[in-house]
Short mmCIF file of all heavy atoms in Angstrom, two decimals:
data_model
loop_
_atom_site.label_atom_id
_atom_site.label_comp_id
_atom_site.label_asym_id
_atom_site.label_seq_id
_atom_site.Cartn_x
_atom_site.Cartn_y
_atom_site.Cartn_z
N LYS O 41 4.00 11.45 19.71
CA LYS O 41 4.18 12.90 19.80
C LYS O 41 3.73 13.61 18.52
O LYS O 41 3.41 14.80 18.54
CB LYS O 41 5.65 13.24 20.07
CG LYS O 41 6.20 12.60 21.36
CD LYS O 41 5.38 13.00 22.58
CE LYS O 41 5.95 12.38 23.84
NZ LYS O 41 5.10 12.67 25.03
N VAL O 42 3.72 12.87 17.42
CA VAL O 42 3.25 13.39 16.14
C VAL O 42 2.40 12.30 15.49
O VAL O 42 2.84 11.15 15.39
CB VAL O 42 4.41 13.77 15.20
CG1 VAL O 42 3.87 14.26 13.87
CG2 VAL O 42 5.30 14.83 15.84
N PHE O 43 1.20 12.65 15.07
CA PHE O 43 0.34 11.68 14.41
C PHE O 43 -0.68 12.41 13.55
O PHE O 43 -0.73 13.65 13.53
CB PHE O 43 -0.36 10.76 15.44
CG PHE O 43 -1.07 11.49 16.55
CD1 PHE O 43 -2.39 11.86 16.43
CD2 PHE O 43 -0.39 11.80 17.74
CE1 PHE O 43 -3.05 12.53 17.46
CE2 PHE O 43 -1.04 12.46 18.78
CZ PHE O 43 -2.37 12.83 18.64
N HIS O 44 -1.49 11.65 12.83
CA HIS O 44 -2.50 12.23 11.93
C HIS O 44 -3.87 11.68 12.33
O HIS O 44 -3.98 10.52 12.74
CB HIS O 44 -2.19 11.88 10.48
CG HIS O 44 -0.88 12.42 10.00
ND1 HIS O 44 0.32 11.82 10.31
CD2 HIS O 44 -0.58 13.51 9.24
CE1 HIS O 44 1.31 12.51 9.76
NE2 HIS O 44 0.79 13.54 9.11
N ILE O 45 -4.89 12.50 12.16
CA ILE O 45 -6.24 12.08 12.53
C ILE O 45 -7.21 12.33 11.39
O ILE O 45 -7.02 13.21 10.55
CB ILE O 45 -6.73 12.80 13.80
CG1 ILE O 45 -6.71 14.33 13.61
CG2 ILE O 45 -5.91 12.40 15.01
CD1 ILE O 45 -7.30 15.11 14.78
N ASP O 46 -8.29 11.52 11.36
CA ASP O 46 -9.34 11.70 10.37
C ASP O 46 -10.45 12.57 10.94
O ASP O 46 -10.29 13.19 12.01
CB ASP O 46 -9.85 10.35 9.87
CG ASP O 46 -10.62 9.57 10.93
OD1 ASP O 46 -10.80 10.08 12.06
OD2 ASP O 46 -11.06 8.44 10.64
N ILE O 47 -11.59 12.60 10.29
CA ILE O 47 -12.69 13.46 10.73
C ILE O 47 -13.17 13.09 12.12
O ILE O 47 -13.65 13.94 12.88
CB ILE O 47 -13.86 13.41 9.71
CG1 ILE O 47 -14.93 14.46 10.04
CG2 ILE O 47 -14.46 12.03 9.61
CD1 ILE O 47 -16.01 14.58 8.99
N SER O 48 -13.04 11.82 12.49
CA SER O 48 -13.51 11.37 13.81
C SER O 48 -12.43 11.44 14.88
O SER O 48 -12.70 11.13 16.05
CB SER O 48 -14.00 9.91 13.72
OG SER O 48 -12.91 9.02 13.59
N GLY O 49 -11.20 11.83 14.49
CA GLY O 49 -10.11 11.84 15.45
C GLY O 49 -9.35 10.53 15.50
O GLY O 49 -8.39 10.40 16.27
N TYR O 50 -9.74 9.56 14.68
CA TYR O 50 -9.01 8.29 14.63
C TYR O 50 -7.65 8.52 13.97
O TYR O 50 -7.54 9.22 12.96
CB TYR O 50 -9.79 7.25 13.83
CG TYR O 50 -8.95 6.05 13.46
CD1 TYR O 50 -8.69 5.04 14.39
CD2 TYR O 50 -8.38 5.94 12.20
CE1 TYR O 50 -7.90 3.95 14.06
CE2 TYR O 50 -7.59 4.86 11.85
CZ TYR O 50 -7.35 3.87 12.79
OH TYR O 50 -6.55 2.80 12.46
N SER O 51 -6.62 7.92 14.53
CA SER O 51 -5.27 8.03 13.99
C SER O 51 -4.75 6.65 13.61
O SER O 51 -4.74 5.74 14.45
CB SER O 51 -4.33 8.65 15.03
OG SER O 51 -2.98 8.49 14.63
N PRO O 52 -4.31 6.46 12.36
CA PRO O 52 -3.75 5.14 11.99
C PRO O 52 -2.49 4.82 12.77
O PRO O 52 -2.23 3.65 13.07
CB PRO O 52 -3.47 5.29 10.49
CG PRO O 52 -3.46 6.76 10.21
CD PRO O 52 -4.38 7.37 11.21
N GLU O 53 -1.69 5.84 13.14
CA GLU O 53 -0.49 5.59 13.94
C GLU O 53 -0.85 5.07 15.33
O GLU O 53 -0.23 4.14 15.85
CB GLU O 53 0.35 6.86 14.07
CG GLU O 53 0.93 7.37 12.77
CD GLU O 53 0.11 8.51 12.18
OE1 GLU O 53 -1.12 8.54 12.42
OE2 GLU O 53 0.68 9.36 11.48
N ILE O 54 -1.89 5.68 15.93
CA ILE O 54 -2.31 5.24 17.27
C ILE O 54 -3.00 3.88 17.19
O ILE O 54 -2.83 3.03 18.07
CB ILE O 54 -3.21 6.29 17.92
CG1 ILE O 54 -2.43 7.60 18.13
CG2 ILE O 54 -3.77 5.79 19.24
CD1 ILE O 54 -3.26 8.74 18.65
N GLY O 55 -3.76 3.66 16.12
CA GLY O 55 -4.37 2.35 15.93
C GLY O 55 -3.33 1.26 15.86
O GLY O 55 -3.50 0.17 16.43
N ASP O 56 -2.20 1.55 15.18
CA ASP O 56 -1.10 0.59 15.10
C ASP O 56 -0.44 0.42 16.46
O ASP O 56 -0.10 -0.71 16.87
CB ASP O 56 -0.08 1.07 14.07
CG ASP O 56 1.03 0.07 13.84
OD1 ASP O 56 0.74 -1.06 13.42
OD2 ASP O 56 2.21 0.41 14.09
N GLU O 57 -0.27 1.53 17.19
CA GLU O 57 0.34 1.47 18.51
C GLU O 57 -0.50 0.63 19.48
O GLU O 57 0.05 -0.18 20.25
CB GLU O 57 0.50 2.89 19.06
CG GLU O 57 1.03 2.96 20.48
CD GLU O 57 0.89 4.35 21.10
OE1 GLU O 57 0.24 5.22 20.47
OE2 GLU O 57 1.40 4.57 22.20
N LEU O 58 -1.80 0.81 19.45
CA LEU O 58 -2.70 0.10 20.36
C LEU O 58 -3.10 -1.28 19.82
O LEU O 58 -3.79 -2.03 20.52
CB LEU O 58 -3.96 0.93 20.61
CG LEU O 58 -3.76 2.32 21.25
CD1 LEU O 58 -5.09 3.05 21.35
CD2 LEU O 58 -3.10 2.20 22.61
N ASP O 59 -2.67 -1.56 18.58
CA ASP O 59 -3.07 -2.80 17.91
C ASP O 59 -4.59 -2.94 17.88
O ASP O 59 -5.15 -4.00 18.14
CB ASP O 59 -2.44 -4.02 18.61
CG ASP O 59 -2.56 -5.29 17.77
OD1 ASP O 59 -2.67 -5.17 16.54
OD2 ASP O 59 -2.56 -6.39 18.35
N ASP O 60 -5.25 -1.81 17.58
CA ASP O 60 -6.71 -1.79 17.58
C ASP O 60 -7.18 -0.70 16.62
O ASP O 60 -7.20 0.49 16.97
CB ASP O 60 -7.24 -1.53 18.99
CG ASP O 60 -8.76 -1.56 19.07
OD1 ASP O 60 -9.40 -1.89 18.04
OD2 ASP O 60 -9.31 -1.23 20.14
N ASP O 61 -7.56 -1.10 15.42
CA ASP O 61 -8.05 -0.12 14.44
C ASP O 61 -9.43 0.41 14.81
O ASP O 61 -9.91 1.37 14.18
CB ASP O 61 -8.11 -0.75 13.04
CG ASP O 61 -6.72 -0.96 12.46
OD1 ASP O 61 -5.79 -0.25 12.88
OD2 ASP O 61 -6.56 -1.85 11.60
N LEU O 62 -10.08 -0.19 15.79
CA LEU O 62 -11.42 0.25 16.20
C LEU O 62 -11.40 0.83 17.61
O LEU O 62 -12.38 0.73 18.33
CB LEU O 62 -12.40 -0.93 16.13
CG LEU O 62 -12.63 -1.55 14.74
CD1 LEU O 62 -13.59 -2.72 14.84
CD2 LEU O 62 -13.15 -0.52 13.75
N TYR O 63 -10.27 1.45 17.98
CA TYR O 63 -10.20 1.97 19.35
C TYR O 63 -11.19 3.11 19.59
O TYR O 63 -11.52 3.41 20.74
CB TYR O 63 -8.77 2.39 19.70
CG TYR O 63 -8.24 3.64 19.03
CD1 TYR O 63 -8.42 4.90 19.60
CD2 TYR O 63 -7.52 3.57 17.83
CE1 TYR O 63 -7.92 6.04 19.00
CE2 TYR O 63 -7.01 4.70 17.23
CZ TYR O 63 -7.22 5.94 17.81
OH TYR O 63 -6.72 7.08 17.21
N LEU O 64 -11.68 3.75 18.54
CA LEU O 64 -12.73 4.76 18.68
C LEU O 64 -14.06 4.28 18.10
O LEU O 64 -14.96 5.08 17.86
CB LEU O 64 -12.32 6.07 17.99
CG LEU O 64 -11.31 6.95 18.72
CD1 LEU O 64 -11.02 8.22 17.90
CD2 LEU O 64 -11.78 7.32 20.11
N ASN O 65 -14.16 2.98 17.86
CA ASN O 65 -15.38 2.46 17.22
C ASN O 65 -15.65 1.05 17.74
O ASN O 65 -15.58 0.07 17.00
CB ASN O 65 -15.21 2.46 15.70
CG ASN O 65 -16.52 2.24 14.96
OD1 ASN O 65 -17.60 2.32 15.55
ND2 ASN O 65 -16.43 1.96 13.68
N HIS O 66 -15.96 0.96 19.02
CA HIS O 66 -16.06 -0.33 19.71
C HIS O 66 -17.05 -1.26 19.01
O HIS O 66 -18.21 -0.93 18.80
CB HIS O 66 -16.50 -0.11 21.16
CG HIS O 66 -16.54 -1.36 21.97
ND1 HIS O 66 -15.43 -2.13 22.20
CD2 HIS O 66 -17.57 -2.00 22.59
CE1 HIS O 66 -15.74 -3.18 22.94
NE2 HIS O 66 -17.05 -3.12 23.19
N LYS O 67 -16.55 -2.44 18.62
CA LYS O 67 -17.33 -3.46 17.93
C LYS O 67 -17.93 -2.95 16.63
O LYS O 67 -18.84 -3.58 16.05
CB LYS O 67 -18.43 -4.03 18.84
CG LYS O 67 -17.88 -4.77 20.06
CD LYS O 67 -18.97 -5.47 20.82
CE LYS O 67 -18.40 -6.17 22.06
NZ LYS O 67 -17.44 -7.21 21.73
N GLY O 68 -17.45 -1.82 16.13
CA GLY O 68 -17.87 -1.33 14.83
C GLY O 68 -19.24 -0.70 14.78
O GLY O 68 -19.74 -0.39 13.69
N VAL O 69 -19.88 -0.48 15.92
CA VAL O 69 -21.23 0.10 15.90
C VAL O 69 -21.36 1.31 16.82
O VAL O 69 -22.42 1.93 16.87
CB VAL O 69 -22.30 -0.94 16.29
CG1 VAL O 69 -22.40 -2.02 15.23
CG2 VAL O 69 -22.00 -1.55 17.65
N ASN O 70 -20.33 1.64 17.56
CA ASN O 70 -20.41 2.78 18.48
C ASN O 70 -19.28 3.76 18.15
O ASN O 70 -18.26 3.79 18.83
CB ASN O 70 -20.31 2.30 19.93
CG ASN O 70 -21.46 1.40 20.31
OD1 ASN O 70 -22.55 1.86 20.56
ND2 ASN O 70 -21.20 0.10 20.33
N ARG O 71 -19.47 4.52 17.10
CA ARG O 71 -18.43 5.45 16.63
C ARG O 71 -18.27 6.61 17.61
O ARG O 71 -19.18 7.41 17.80
CB ARG O 71 -18.78 5.97 15.24
CG ARG O 71 -17.92 7.10 14.74
CD ARG O 71 -16.47 6.69 14.49
NE ARG O 71 -16.32 5.84 13.32
CZ ARG O 71 -15.14 5.49 12.80
NH1 ARG O 71 -14.03 5.93 13.36
NH2 ARG O 71 -15.08 4.70 11.76
N GLN O 72 -17.10 6.67 18.25
CA GLN O 72 -16.77 7.81 19.09
C GLN O 72 -15.89 8.77 18.29
O GLN O 72 -15.33 8.40 17.25
CB GLN O 72 -16.03 7.33 20.35
CG GLN O 72 -16.87 6.44 21.25
CD GLN O 72 -16.06 5.82 22.37
OE1 GLN O 72 -15.02 5.21 22.14
NE2 GLN O 72 -16.52 5.99 23.60
N PHE O 73 -15.77 10.00 18.76
CA PHE O 73 -14.96 10.96 18.02
C PHE O 73 -14.27 11.94 18.97
O PHE O 73 -14.73 12.19 20.08
CB PHE O 73 -15.80 11.71 16.99
CG PHE O 73 -16.97 12.49 17.54
CD1 PHE O 73 -16.82 13.81 17.95
CD2 PHE O 73 -18.22 11.91 17.64
CE1 PHE O 73 -17.89 14.54 18.45
CE2 PHE O 73 -19.31 12.62 18.15
CZ PHE O 73 -19.13 13.94 18.55
N ILE O 74 -13.14 12.44 18.48
CA ILE O 74 -12.36 13.46 19.18
C ILE O 74 -12.11 14.60 18.20
O ILE O 74 -11.51 14.39 17.15
CB ILE O 74 -11.02 12.90 19.69
CG1 ILE O 74 -11.26 11.76 20.69
CG2 ILE O 74 -10.18 14.00 20.33
CD1 ILE O 74 -9.98 11.03 21.09
N LEU O 75 -12.57 15.79 18.55
CA LEU O 75 -12.37 16.96 17.69
C LEU O 75 -11.35 17.89 18.34
O LEU O 75 -11.55 18.37 19.45
CB LEU O 75 -13.69 17.71 17.49
CG LEU O 75 -14.83 16.93 16.81
CD1 LEU O 75 -16.06 17.81 16.69
CD2 LEU O 75 -14.40 16.41 15.45
N LEU O 76 -10.25 18.12 17.60
CA LEU O 76 -9.24 19.08 18.03
C LEU O 76 -9.38 20.39 17.27
O LEU O 76 -8.90 21.42 17.74
CB LEU O 76 -7.84 18.51 17.81
CG LEU O 76 -7.47 17.25 18.60
CD1 LEU O 76 -6.06 16.82 18.25
CD2 LEU O 76 -7.59 17.49 20.10
N THR O 77 -10.00 20.33 16.10
CA THR O 77 -10.15 21.50 15.25
C THR O 77 -11.31 21.29 14.30
O THR O 77 -11.62 20.15 13.92
CB THR O 77 -8.87 21.77 14.44
OG1 THR O 77 -9.13 22.77 13.43
CG2 THR O 77 -8.38 20.51 13.74
N THR O 78 -11.96 22.38 13.91
CA THR O 78 -13.05 22.28 12.94
C THR O 78 -12.54 21.92 11.55
O THR O 78 -13.32 21.56 10.68
CB THR O 78 -13.83 23.60 12.87
OG1 THR O 78 -12.92 24.68 12.62
CG2 THR O 78 -14.57 23.87 14.18
N GLU O 79 -11.22 22.01 11.33
CA GLU O 79 -10.65 21.62 10.04
C GLU O 79 -10.82 20.13 9.77
O GLU O 79 -10.68 19.68 8.63
CB GLU O 79 -9.17 21.98 9.99
CG GLU O 79 -8.89 23.48 9.99
CD GLU O 79 -7.41 23.80 9.97
OE1 GLU O 79 -6.61 22.84 9.83
OE2 GLU O 79 -7.05 24.97 10.09
N GLN O 80 -11.13 19.36 10.78
CA GLN O 80 -11.36 17.93 10.59
C GLN O 80 -12.55 17.66 9.68
O GLN O 80 -12.70 16.55 9.15
CB GLN O 80 -11.56 17.23 11.94
CG GLN O 80 -10.28 17.07 12.74
CD GLN O 80 -10.52 16.52 14.14
OE1 GLN O 80 -10.13 17.12 15.12
NE2 GLN O 80 -11.16 15.37 14.23
N ALA O 81 -13.41 18.64 9.47
CA ALA O 81 -14.59 18.45 8.62
C ALA O 81 -14.21 18.04 7.20
O ALA O 81 -15.00 17.38 6.51
CB ALA O 81 -15.42 19.73 8.59
N THR O 82 -13.03 18.42 6.74
CA THR O 82 -12.62 18.11 5.36
C THR O 82 -11.86 16.78 5.26
O THR O 82 -11.53 16.34 4.17
CB THR O 82 -11.73 19.22 4.80
OG1 THR O 82 -10.53 19.33 5.60
CG2 THR O 82 -12.45 20.56 4.83
N ALA O 83 -11.57 16.17 6.39
CA ALA O 83 -10.78 14.93 6.39
C ALA O 83 -11.68 13.73 6.08
O ALA O 83 -12.90 13.77 6.27
CB ALA O 83 -10.10 14.74 7.75
N PRO O 84 -11.08 12.64 5.58
CA PRO O 84 -11.87 11.42 5.34
C PRO O 84 -12.19 10.70 6.64
O PRO O 84 -11.71 11.09 7.71
CB PRO O 84 -10.92 10.59 4.47
CG PRO O 84 -9.56 10.99 4.92
CD PRO O 84 -9.66 12.47 5.25
N LEU O 85 -12.98 9.66 6.53
CA LEU O 85 -13.25 8.77 7.67
C LEU O 85 -12.63 7.42 7.36
O LEU O 85 -13.02 6.76 6.39
CB LEU O 85 -14.75 8.62 7.91
CG LEU O 85 -15.16 7.68 9.04
CD1 LEU O 85 -14.68 8.21 10.38
CD2 LEU O 85 -16.67 7.47 9.06
N LEU O 86 -11.64 7.01 8.14
CA LEU O 86 -10.96 5.75 7.91
C LEU O 86 -11.69 4.60 8.60
O LEU O 86 -12.39 4.81 9.59
CB LEU O 86 -9.52 5.83 8.43
CG LEU O 86 -8.66 6.98 7.88
CD1 LEU O 86 -7.25 6.93 8.47
CD2 LEU O 86 -8.60 6.94 6.36
N ASN O 87 -11.52 3.41 8.05
CA ASN O 87 -12.14 2.21 8.63
C ASN O 87 -13.65 2.41 8.85
O ASN O 87 -14.19 2.04 9.89
CB ASN O 87 -11.47 1.83 9.95
CG ASN O 87 -10.00 1.51 9.79
OD1 ASN O 87 -9.59 0.94 8.80
ND2 ASN O 87 -9.20 1.91 10.77
N ALA O 88 -14.31 2.99 7.86
CA ALA O 88 -15.74 3.25 8.00
C ALA O 88 -16.52 1.94 8.04
O ALA O 88 -16.32 1.06 7.21
CB ALA O 88 -16.23 4.10 6.83
N LYS O 89 -17.40 1.83 9.00
CA LYS O 89 -18.27 0.66 9.12
C LYS O 89 -19.67 0.95 8.61
O LYS O 89 -20.43 0.02 8.34
CB LYS O 89 -18.33 0.19 10.57
CG LYS O 89 -17.01 -0.36 11.10
CD LYS O 89 -16.57 -1.60 10.33
CE LYS O 89 -15.30 -2.19 10.89
NZ LYS O 89 -14.85 -3.39 10.12
N PHE O 90 -20.02 2.25 8.50
CA PHE O 90 -21.32 2.64 7.97
C PHE O 90 -21.11 3.82 7.02
O PHE O 90 -20.34 4.73 7.32
CB PHE O 90 -22.28 3.03 9.09
CG PHE O 90 -22.73 1.88 9.94
CD1 PHE O 90 -22.02 1.52 11.07
CD2 PHE O 90 -23.85 1.15 9.59
CE1 PHE O 90 -22.42 0.44 11.85
CE2 PHE O 90 -24.26 0.06 10.37
CZ PHE O 90 -23.54 -0.28 11.50
N SER O 91 -21.81 3.80 5.91
CA SER O 91 -21.64 4.85 4.90
C SER O 91 -22.14 6.20 5.38
O SER O 91 -21.74 7.23 4.84
CB SER O 91 -22.39 4.45 3.62
OG SER O 91 -23.79 4.28 3.88
N THR O 92 -22.99 6.22 6.40
CA THR O 92 -23.58 7.48 6.85
C THR O 92 -22.72 8.22 7.88
O THR O 92 -22.96 9.38 8.16
CB THR O 92 -24.95 7.21 7.49
OG1 THR O 92 -24.80 6.18 8.49
CG2 THR O 92 -25.95 6.73 6.44
N SER O 93 -21.72 7.54 8.45
CA SER O 93 -21.00 8.12 9.59
C SER O 93 -20.27 9.41 9.25
O SER O 93 -20.34 10.39 10.00
CB SER O 93 -20.00 7.10 10.15
OG SER O 93 -20.67 5.97 10.65
N ARG O 94 -19.57 9.44 8.12
CA ARG O 94 -18.81 10.65 7.79
C ARG O 94 -19.76 11.83 7.54
O ARG O 94 -19.50 12.95 7.97
CB ARG O 94 -17.92 10.43 6.57
CG ARG O 94 -17.07 11.67 6.25
CD ARG O 94 -16.12 11.45 5.09
NE ARG O 94 -15.28 12.62 4.90
CZ ARG O 94 -15.60 13.67 4.15
NH1 ARG O 94 -16.77 13.67 3.50
NH2 ARG O 94 -14.80 14.70 4.04
N GLY O 95 -20.85 11.58 6.82
CA GLY O 95 -21.80 12.65 6.56
C GLY O 95 -22.40 13.21 7.84
O GLY O 95 -22.59 14.43 7.97
N ILE O 96 -22.68 12.34 8.80
CA ILE O 96 -23.23 12.79 10.09
C ILE O 96 -22.21 13.66 10.82
O ILE O 96 -22.54 14.73 11.33
CB ILE O 96 -23.64 11.59 10.94
CG1 ILE O 96 -24.87 10.91 10.34
CG2 ILE O 96 -23.91 12.00 12.38
CD1 ILE O 96 -25.27 9.62 11.02
N LEU O 97 -20.97 13.19 10.88
CA LEU O 97 -19.93 13.96 11.58
C LEU O 97 -19.69 15.31 10.90
O LEU O 97 -19.55 16.33 11.56
CB LEU O 97 -18.63 13.16 11.62
CG LEU O 97 -18.59 12.02 12.64
CD1 LEU O 97 -17.38 11.14 12.41
CD2 LEU O 97 -18.57 12.58 14.07
N ARG O 98 -19.65 15.29 9.58
CA ARG O 98 -19.39 16.54 8.87
C ARG O 98 -20.52 17.54 9.10
O ARG O 98 -20.28 18.73 9.32
CB ARG O 98 -19.21 16.28 7.37
CG ARG O 98 -18.89 17.53 6.59
CD ARG O 98 -18.38 17.24 5.21
NE ARG O 98 -17.95 18.46 4.55
CZ ARG O 98 -17.34 18.49 3.39
NH1 ARG O 98 -17.07 17.37 2.74
NH2 ARG O 98 -16.98 19.64 2.84
#
Side-chain angles (χ1 to χ4, degrees):
K41 302 303 181 185
V42 178
F43 51 90
H44 299 79
I45 58 175
D46 69 2
I47 188 173
S48 73
Y50 166 80
S51 167
E53 295 99 331
I54 297 175
D56 185 61
E57 175 192 8
L58 300 176
D59 193 25
D60 183 6
D61 289 335
L62 298 178
Y63 71 89
L64 283 181
N65 193 13
H66 184 62
K67 296 188 182 297
V69 293
N70 297 282
R71 170 67 72 171
Q72 296 172 308
F73 59 89
I74 298 172
L75 299 180
L76 297 179
T77 169
T78 54
E79 293 179 6
Q80 286 174 236
T82 62
L85 178 64
L86 305 181
N87 299 323
K89 293 298 182 181
F90 290 90
S91 60
T92 52
S93 297
R94 183 177 184 272
I96 290 173
L97 284 168
R98 182 166 186 173

